[in-house]
Amino acid sequence: MAFQHGQAADVWQYGGFLDLAYELNYNFPENHQWRSKETSPRTNELAPNMGLAYLRKDPARESRWGMELAFQGGYDTDALVPQPNASGVKPIEGADTLRYLARANVSYLAPVGHGLTISAGLIKGMKTYEEFYAKYNINYTRAYLTDYNPNFMIGVGASSEITKSFELGLYIVNEYQHLSHANDLPSYVAKMEWRAGDHVTLYQNLYYGPDQRDTSLRFWRIFSDSTVEWRTPEWKIALSYDVGSEEMSDAPTNARAAWMGAALFTQRHLAGPWSVGIRPEFYWDPQGRMTERDQLLWANSTTLEYKRHFGQQLAIVRFEYRYDHSSGAQGGFFHHGSALGVPKIVPSQHLTILGLVLAFDSA
């Protein structure tokens, strides 16, 4: 991924991309909104979901200091600013401006073992299989578990290759949502990547910290993200599973909330620039802690991709069909029509999506 990984010491790299889509929602909601979705949230209109520009220098043994600076904008940044809620969560000061920052950090490669990379600032979130940015994924739309994962972190930490096939990172961060503020205590993140074989890689992320006004240990959130990937030149197959839990200080009986989700990512290279990917998924949020609604979501996305490099330029065209279903007391999707000014809600939706990503990288 050009946005994250460098190739040479003391070399500044720069680039960016533009991500546009038209998502035809056959429910035809008047508000054009995709209910319970944080990325690619607008339907039935041409949507500039993301634009990004970056400048980066990676640390290396020959030049140990590094930095990243990246700016972003588009509909995919809207949900990065949290809404105030009863548990004490509110946006940090300047969140409406800070959502346009994708990276802002410095790093140093210390001569410890195989190399200890220390980073501080706004950095990439958990080491997940599917990215926040559509450019790097198999499908155009992201899975629900990706939407509600910590995709960005503000903090300080270090990562190291313990062996050539095992990497571990530990970080102290502000909160689960990087632009939210409920208290002044830090949270903690651990990342692990293990290349278990020629074709198999395991990723594991853990989060533990206080995300409510009451910082008593009993109310701390615990969250796990796990992925196993099998990859060959022709196939990519990965299974991701997320589970989280916290006792709710704002609930009358301090009930415990839990949520979980899973997605199976598959892609087959067909020929030349053509590939096809299929992703079934589910997301269960019975207390509405993540999606703000008591619901069980499940979906399936099928994507035909055309990807081609033109020198330093890259063009990705994705044609995608997606079906979503939501059950539960507060589940559902927006539909054409309303009653007393309230949009109509139905249990399912069908979408046909055309996504276009145009990118440039100096590396």
Side-chain angles (χ1 to χ4, degrees), residues 63-297:
S63 180
R64 294 189 176 274
W65 286 98
M67 65 86 65
E68 285 183 298
L69 183 63
F71 299 93
Q72 63 185 9
Y75 286 136
D76 282 354
T77 68
D78 291 348
L80 296 178
V81 181
Q83 297 298 315
N85 62 37
S87 66
V89 172
K90 61 182 180 181
I92 65 174
E93 186 175 351
D96 283 328
T97 300
L98 291 172
R99 70 188 177 101
Y100 297 115
L101 273 178
R103 300 285 189 274
N105 61 73
V106 294
S107 56
Y108 178 75
L109 180 62
V112 178
H114 293 282
L116 180 71
T117 303
I118 302 167
S119 304
L122 172 57
I123 59 180
K124 181 183 177 344
M126 289 186 168
K127 201 176 186 72
T128 53
Y129 185 76
E130 188 176 61
E131 294 282 342
F132 177 79
Y133 302 107
K135 174 189 174 185
Y136 306 113
N137 297 331
I138 290 172
N139 308 93
Y140 179 78
T141 59
R142 272 118 291 173
Y144 289 104
L145 59 80
T146 302
D147 280 3
Y148 298 105
N149 205 302
N151 292 295
F152 303 85
M153 299 191 306
I154 297 177
V156 60
S159 64
S160 177
E161 288 191 1
I162 307 303
T163 69
K164 291 185 177 181
S165 61
F166 185 82
E167 182 178 339
L168 182 66
L170 299 172
Y171 300 85
I172 301 173
V173 303
N174 60 337
E175 290 192 19
Y176 190 89
Q177 292 178 282
H178 75 295
L179 296 182
S180 69
H181 178 75
N183 57 72
D184 295 327
L185 292 185
S187 297
Y188 305 92
V189 169
K191 303 181 188 180
M192 182 273 287
E193 179 179 348
W194 177 32
R195 294 173 288 281
D198 292 339
H199 303 293
V200 179
T201 304
L202 282 77
Y203 306 92
Q204 177 63 54
N205 303 280
L206 293 173
Y207 172 94
Y208 186 57
D211 284 271
Q212 304 176 69
R213 184 185 296 111
D214 191 327
T215 59
S216 302
L217 198 62
R218 59 183 286 200
F219 296 119
W220 281 33
R221 174 178 297 181
I222 184 167
F223 174 79
S224 168
D225 171 275
S226 308
T227 298
V228 57
E229 177 198 22
W230 181 77
R231 181 189 293 243
T232 70
E234 301 300 319
W235 280 97
K236 297 177 186 176
I237 300 176
L239 177 63
S240 293
Y241 174 73
D242 287 5
V243 60
S245 178
E246 66 183 356
E247 194 171 334
M248 299 180 290
S249 64
D250 53 313
T253 59
N254 298 140
R256 177 163 288 277
W259 61 93
M260 67 176 67
L264 177 63
F265 305 92
T266 68
Q267 187 181 58
R268 175 74 162 97
H269 176 244
L270 299 176
W274 296 97
S275 300
V276 63
I278 300 175
R279 182 192 63 211
E281 60 171 295
F282 82 88
Y283 198 86
W284 183 51
D285 192 13
Q287 289 81 29
R289 208 59 176 171
M290 294 289 107
T291 66
E292 300 181 352
R293 299 172 181 95
D294 170 6
Q295 62 183 324
L296 170 63
L297 293 152

Side-chain angles (χ1 to χ4, degrees), residues 293-312:
R293 299 172 181 95
D294 170 6
Q295 62 183 324
L296 170 63
L297 293 152
W298 62 271
N300 189 75
S301 304
T302 303
T303 309
L304 179 65
E305 178 186 79
Y306 176 89
K307 178 187 285 188
R308 187 160 186 176
H309 286 272
F310 301 91
Q312 294 175 310

